Amino acid sequence: VTSASPMELRLAFIGLGNVARAFARMIDDRRDQLSDGYGLKLRTTAIATGSHGCVLSDGDIDLRAAAACVERGEPLTGLPGVAAISDTSGLIDRCEADVVFETTPLNPTDGEPAATYILNALGRGMNVVTANKGPVAFAYRRLKALAERKRVSFRFEGTVMDGAPVFNLVEYCLPVARVIRFSGVLNSTTNLILAGMESGRTFDECLDEARRLGIAETNADYDIDGWDAAAKAIVLANVLMGADLRPNDVDRAGIRDLDSRETQAAAAAGRPLRLIARAEGSGDGAKIVVGPERVAAASPLGSVRGTSNVLIIETDLMGELVIFETNPGIEQTAYALLSDLIRVHEEAKSRR
Ligand SMILES: NC(=O)c1ccc[n+]([C@@H]2O[C@H](COP(=O)([O-])OP(=O)(O)OC[C@H]3O[C@@H](n4cnc5c(N)ncnc54)[C@H](OP(=O)(O)O)[C@@H]3O)[C@@H](O)[C@H]2O)c1
């Protein structure tokens, strides 16, 4: 799509952490391509954070300057041309953005406050893109119904396997087919730890590496204890299989009690330990299990190393499909936000 006069979209950011800052760099780098190739001109008018302040602007907030501010630990209120707002909810009430990017930390207990932020934004007629699985795991049906009623988009490709097309693949490329079961290695932090321990490193050394890479959850216990994988499995089951489950419905175990000796012995026997998420459809629901399993080294589940992820989807009409994501980092999650932004733009055009 080439457009002589690009359409301007006003962007609001709820969270400016690792993911949002990588996305900010990406859209700045690709400014010309987005304008010339997709007819998109982007303007940032609102940013909310947890501890670096919330700001609004009538102009265009310089995203790189805002990211640098956060990285220096300084408040955003010092940026030129911005007005300070007391909190995130107040910012959503007032921001009147076209697209809200929600990237606050995972809360595996109830998906809050992100679910409420997204409900408010959709209710005010704003499109929402999130990389946070919490709200999708706890409130998918409500959020989707509200987005439909308000004729806006709600996209969340980054919630599972970063920017690898999982939801888009099923939605756009597998019409009529039903997903009947899936299994996968969906959490990069635990996979990095397990593979690292196989090669003799300690649990803590591997966890530090995941933190350095920016891929660990804000609270890494949610990775280690299987909550992140459970939330992803719930998102997959609710979206792809029509289930209506919550993370507490998952039969869940993490990797906290595994040690280097056990992981090395399993790998030496050709059956390495991996944190596996499995779902089996039943009626309108699904049964979901997350926990460490010994899997054949040469199988798709056993062959993923480091931060790599894999998802095996079994359908009734298209058989089994395997999606590998090799060594994703923060850029791949940022790409999820970018591909969702393009989808929001396409959907908005098709509604006109
Ligand atoms: N990192 C990854 O590789 C990855 C991959 C896929 C999905 N995700 C998901 O993406 C989301 C963001 O991850 P991240 O790594 O960017 O996390 P992060 O670096 O910890 O950033 C979280 C951001 O949210 C802000 N925040 C916290 N509470 C807030 C509130 N109530 N209102 C507004 N902002 C608030 C924080 O602000 P302060 O810093 O000022 O507190 C920070 O800017 C998470 O839900 C995560 O599960 C991450």
Side-chain angles (χ1 to χ4, degrees):
V1 185
T2 311
S3 164
S5 54
M7 175 197 275
E8 182 177 88
L9 290 183
R10 293 160 300 174
L11 311 186
F13 288 81
I14 311 300
L16 196 63
N18 290 307
V19 171
R21 295 200 305 273
F23 173 65
R25 289 190 294 273
M26 196 173 273
I27 55 176
D28 196 33
D29 289 346
R30 298 299 172 122
R31 189 170 291 263
D32 291 345
Q33 197 181 347
L34 291 172
S35 165
D36 300 345
Y38 294 86
L40 267 181
K41 188 171 177 320
L42 306 176
R43 179 156 74 89
T44 301
T45 56
I47 304 176
T49 68
S51 56
H52 294 81
C54 299
V55 293
L56 277 181
S57 168
D58 292 333
D60 184 8
I61 302 174
D62 181 337
L63 267 180
R64 286 213 187 237
C69 223
V70 167
E71 280 157 16
R72 288 194 303 270
E74 291 169 8
L76 296 174
T77 43
L79 290 168
V82 299
I85 303 291
S86 62
D87 60 19
T88 304
S89 298
L91 180 127
I92 294 168
D93 290 346
R94 291 181 51 183
C95 73
E96 293 180 350
D98 298 300
V99 192
V100 173
F101 292 92
E102 193 286 316
T103 57
T104 64
L106 168 66
N107 174 349
T109 315
D110 58 9
E112 294 294 351
T116 299
Y117 294 155
I118 296 176
L119 277 170
N120 287 348
L122 293 172
R124 291 177 174 278
M126 295 184 265
N127 300 289
V128 175
V129 171
T130 186
N132 182 355
K133 54 239 131 206
V136 193
F138 282 93
Y140 173 63
R141 287 193 181 191
R142 258 177 97 192
L143 296 169
K144 184 173 185 291
L146 180 59
E148 278 168 8
R149 204 165 71 242
K150 291 287 179 179
R151 293 175 51 78
V152 292
S153 301
F154 174 51
R155 309 297 311 179
F156 43 82
E157 188 63 76
T159 56
V160 179
M161 288 179 79
D162 315 296
V166 172
F167 302 106
N168 285 316
L169 175 84
V170 174
E171 185 175 349
Y172 295 102
C173 305
L174 296 174
V176 189
R178 266 189 335 119
V179 175
I180 47 186
R181 64 178 66 81
F182 67 78
S183 57
V185 173
L186 302 175
N187 178 268
S188 294
T189 298
T190 45
N191 209 47
L192 193 76
I193 293 172
L194 290 173
M197 288 202 298
E198 275 170 20
S199 49
R201 297 165 66 209
T202 67
F203 189 102
D204 288 339
E205 282 168 359
C206 302
L207 177 56
D208 282 347
E209 187 186 349
R211 288 199 171 111
R212 267 197 313 279
L213 292 171
I215 57 158
E217 282 300 320
T218 314
N219 177 350
D221 288 350
Y222 295 156
D223 293 306
I224 295 159
D225 295 326
W227 280 111
D228 173 78
K232 286 172 175 162
I234 289 292
V235 171
L236 288 168
N238 289 354
V239 177
L240 303 184
M241 300 167 93
D244 191 19
L245 299 168
R246 303 291 175 268
N248 263 328
D249 297 321
V250 176
D251 179 352
R252 176 187 53 81
I255 65 159
R256 190 176 291 280
D257 298 329
L258 300 177
D259 60 26
S260 302
R261 221 160 24 92
E262 203 175 345
T263 53
Q264 282 172 0
R271 294 190 68 81
L273 278 156
R274 297 285 177 263
L275 186 73
I276 307 292
R278 291 185 183 278
E280 178 79 38
S282 60
D284 278 348
K287 170 150 182 38
I288 304 181
V289 181
V290 167
E293 285 182 28
R294 289 178 168 76
V295 289
S299 68
L301 295 175
S303 63
V304 282
R305 297 266 178 287
T307 61
S308 297
N309 284 186
V310 61
L311 176 65
I312 306 169
I313 295 177
E314 196 176 322
T315 70
D316 57 352
L317 297 178
M318 220 343 262
E320 192 176 281
L321 289 167
V322 183
I323 307 169
F324 277 104
E325 187 188 23
T326 306
N327 285 328
I330 204 71
E331 297 296 307
Q332 282 65 38
T333 312
Y335 180 72
L337 300 186
L338 178 58
S339 70
D340 278 348
L341 170 66
I342 301 298
R343 181 59 55 196
V344 167
H345 179 49
E346 299 295 333
E347 287 179 346
K349 280 196 302 190
S350 72
R351 275 191 213 101
R352 265 185 251 125

